[in-house]
Amino acid sequence: MNEFDYIAWIRQQTALSPGVLIGPGDDCAVLAGTGQPTLVTTDMLLEGSHFRLAETTPERIGRKAMAVNISDIAAMGGTPTFAFVAVGLPRGGAGQIAMELYRGMRDVADRFGVVIAGGDTNSWTGGLAVSVTLLGTPGSHGPILRSGARPGDWLFVTGPLGGSIVGKHFDFMPRVAEARQLQDHAAIHAMIDISDGLAGDVGHLCAESGCGVELFADWIPISDVARSLADERSSLEHALHDGEDFELAFAVSPEDGRRLLALQPIVDVSLCHIGVFLAEPGMFLVGENSRKEIMPCGFIHAF
Amino acid sequence: MNEFDYIAWIRQQTALSPGVLIGPGDDCAVLAGTGQPTLVTTDMLLEGSHFRLAETTPERIGRKAMAVNISDIAAMGGTPTFAFVAVGLPRGGAGQIAMELYRGMRDVADRFGVVIAGGDTNSWTGGLAVSVTLLGTPGSHGPILRSGARPGDWLFVTGPLGGSIVGKHFDFMPRVAEARQLQDHAAIHAMIDISDGLAGDVGHLCAESGCGVELFADWIPISDVARSLADERSSLEHALHDGEDFELAFAVSPEDGRRLLALQPIVDVSLCHIGVFLAEPGMFLVGENSRKEIMPCGFIHAF
């Protein structure tokens, strides 16, 4: 069993509830209330799986724990608002770790207008565990789901991919403002942030939208780091399968796609058209003289 | 440093925000939105600190992880609504643990109308870590805070105390309906659920309300379990200082207190008048012929 099997099982268990507009399986849940809907996401970072305390600082871990959640709100086109933080601290220096962790969280929270409004702090004999739950508000067009891509839609990404392990997975800036600006210039049919890797996350868009996709090998933007990392895996493979770039992948109509390419409306971001959604299932990598099916998999957390 | 020092430090760091009606330091945060305010609480259970996997079942742990959060909503007089669950699973049988944990959470969630609307599930080399974030709606009179007790108010509890370690700390039923019924019969000035122990949690009420308190030794209801446990500590000491009874302690005016005693409006619950709030600081235990100051401390998580 892996995390996706478990999510599928959870979705089977989850009864439809009138208050839950979107339940498990998207970047955020969407809740109905007496006011506008609320976005909620939760992400946990665990020592040894997501970071090693010996190789980084609690401040950087705190920063990442907050930023990955902010990125989930960005992926719905929303604005993050209030965060709740639960922490399991390793005994021995726990107070110091707690304060540095908080500083890292506050730093990125402050940049995005997020208020840390509550939490729970414990120490234990285990490793550092940080869980952030983040609320947000959808954009004026409502939350952007994974499920809205249509055959013929163009697939875009907001930046170069691959090799985030070298540092970007800690230091990335969630694409909140970019997602907001995109909505001013195009009707975004579906969106996701790239945490599991391009192939994996575009696979999620396809699965939820009931589409397949063709990826244009020569148009996928590859980061300089991925080029320098190229080893037994090519730089393109790094761009396709490495996780935690936290760029946005999104679907728009060809008309909107052409306009975005012509306008390039986002400062410091080069929007890249990297594929097209298909009516038939499957993920196909298309080169100048080739078309081969690839597995829509990135990093999968096995249980 | 212990958890309360850390909470105090966090409160110093937390800028006032117009959206945060109540921030860190109460049972729940209270957030303003476009509709009615939202209650939010988060609580994390950690293997070895809060439970031992070898001595209990994942189902019971899941049940408790959900119930402690529901109890925090009850302590504000609110109704729990949506839960988000982040889990760190020990590798080896993680899938099985995940499913049993979920069943336990669902069981108690279903009883209280709570929908598990999202989460994050990971495995790692560490122990089991379960973090639940729970949303809720306040009662019609608004959230009941820790800070509203006034000198002269009577202190009540909703049931017998002490010895929860024998089993009640897993199997307690959060007092959601009871808190709602109380509000129909009295103006509740302040309330808390007893997680750190009676003395510790009434100490929180006092600290937030700027009051002291006299506790009536003979009127504190002592559980049968606490009586059977009496060892080097008396059963009264167990009732005063054991944690995790998850009964409610609350403050009402003497007039409302007399009415509650006369009416006893809650089925299967004997409301007990156990003390009176004072203008001067301190916690005093009053017996037939004695009055001694005691430390307002229960279980404190040292870092």
Side-chain angles (χ1 to χ4, degrees), chain A residues 32-92:
Chain A
T34 53
Q36 63 175 326
T38 302
L39 307 178
V40 189
T41 183
T42 190
D43 254 310
M44 187 182 231
L45 298 191
L46 297 169
E47 187 174 347
S49 287
H50 301 95
F51 59 85
R52 282 171 221 289
L53 255 183
E55 295 169 10
T56 186
T57 63
E59 206 158 336
R60 231 172 157 202
I61 296 161
R63 192 196 176 286
K64 177 172 179 175
M66 186 61 64
V68 296
N69 281 280
I70 294 175
S71 184
D72 278 325
I73 300 282
M76 305 286 277
T79 302
T81 52
F82 303 109
F84 297 83
V85 180
V87 186
L89 298 162
R91 289 219 173 98

Side-chain angles (χ1 to χ4, degrees), chain B residues 57-286:
Chain B
T57 62
E59 204 157 338
R60 233 171 154 201
I61 296 161
R63 194 197 175 285
K64 177 172 179 176
M66 185 61 64
V68 296
N69 281 281
I70 294 175
S71 184
D72 279 325
I73 300 281
M76 306 287 276
T79 303
T81 52
F82 303 108
F84 296 83
V85 180
V87 186
L89 298 163
R91 288 214 176 101
Q96 190 61 32
I97 293 174
M99 286 193 286
E100 290 182 31
L101 199 65
Y102 179 80
R103 279 200 199 97
M105 289 192 284
R106 263 302 287 275
D107 175 54
V108 68
D110 285 352
R111 282 167 193 261
F112 288 88
V114 170
V115 178
I116 301 174
D120 184 32
T121 310
N122 307 274
S123 65
W124 69 328
T125 56
L128 178 59
V130 188
S131 174
V132 175
T133 303
L134 182 62
L135 277 59
T137 51
S140 52
H141 304 291
I144 301 169
L145 310 184
R146 296 180 177 181
S147 56
R150 303 164 202 167
D153 276 356
W154 287 14
L155 172 66
F156 276 76
V157 288
T158 53
L161 303 174
S164 78
I165 189 71
V166 172
K168 189 182 176 191
H169 75 112
F170 276 123
D171 302 325
F172 70 95
M173 271 291 166
R175 296 290 198 188
V176 175
E178 293 81 356
R180 207 155 35 205
Q181 289 165 49
L182 278 173
Q183 296 172 78
D184 293 336
H185 294 281
I188 313 297
H189 293 170
M191 191 153 63
I192 195 168
D193 66 326
I194 299 176
S195 54
D196 297 328
L198 177 65
D201 286 311
V202 171
H204 296 318
L205 288 181
C206 290
E208 298 301 321
S209 297
C211 293
V213 72
E214 268 183 357
L215 300 174
F216 309 143
D218 298 340
W219 295 4
I220 294 171
I222 297 170
S223 71
D224 292 342
V225 174
R227 288 187 199 283
S228 74
L229 280 180
D231 33 35
E232 74 280 15
R233 297 167 61 209
S234 70
S235 59
L236 177 61
E237 284 171 311
H238 279 287
L240 279 168
H241 300 294
D242 287 357
E244 305 208 315
D245 270 305
F246 298 102
E247 297 293 345
L248 299 173
F250 62 92
V252 291
S253 69
E255 300 70 45
D256 276 355
R258 277 183 212 102
R259 195 168 58 254
L260 288 177
L261 288 181
L263 282 177
Q264 286 292 356
I266 305 182
V267 178
D268 292 333
V269 169
S270 182
L271 298 173
C272 299
H273 172 209
I274 63 164
V276 62
F277 288 92
L278 309 172
E280 65 268 35
M283 178 173 286
F284 303 91
L285 188 65
V286 181

Side-chain angles (χ1 to χ4, degrees), chain A residues 83-262:
Chain A
F84 297 83
V85 180
V87 186
L89 298 162
R91 289 219 173 98
Q96 190 61 34
I97 293 174
M99 287 193 287
E100 289 182 33
L101 200 64
Y102 179 81
R103 280 201 197 95
M105 288 192 285
R106 262 303 286 277
D107 175 55
V108 67
D110 285 353
R111 282 169 194 259
F112 287 89
V114 170
V115 178
I116 300 173
D120 184 32
T121 310
N122 308 274
S123 65
W124 68 329
T125 55
L128 178 59
V130 189
S131 173
V132 175
T133 303
L134 182 63
L135 277 59
T137 50
S140 53
H141 303 291
I144 302 169
L145 309 184
R146 295 179 177 182
S147 55
R150 303 165 202 166
D153 276 356
W154 287 14
L155 172 66
F156 276 77
V157 288
T158 54
L161 303 174
S164 78
I165 189 70
V166 172
K168 188 182 177 191
H169 76 112
F170 276 123
D171 302 325
F172 71 95
M173 271 293 166
R175 297 290 197 187
V176 175
E178 293 81 354
R180 208 155 35 206
Q181 290 165 48
L182 278 174
Q183 295 172 79
D184 293 337
H185 294 280
I188 314 296
H189 293 171
M191 191 151 64
I192 194 168
D193 66 325
I194 299 175
S195 55
D196 297 328
L198 177 66
D201 286 312
V202 171
H204 296 318
L205 289 181
C206 290
E208 297 301 321
S209 297
C211 293
V213 71
E214 268 182 358
L215 300 175
F216 308 143
D218 298 339
W219 293 5
I220 294 171
I222 297 170
S223 72
D224 292 342
V225 174
R227 288 187 199 283
S228 74
L229 280 180
D231 33 35
E232 73 281 13
R233 297 168 60 210
S234 70
S235 60
L236 177 61
E237 284 172 312
H238 278 288
L240 279 169
H241 300 294
D242 288 356
E244 304 207 316
D245 269 305
F246 297 103
E247 297 293 346
L248 299 174
F250 61 92
V252 290
S253 70
E255 300 70 44
D256 277 356
R258 278 183 211 103
R259 195 169 59 254
L260 289 177
L261 287 181

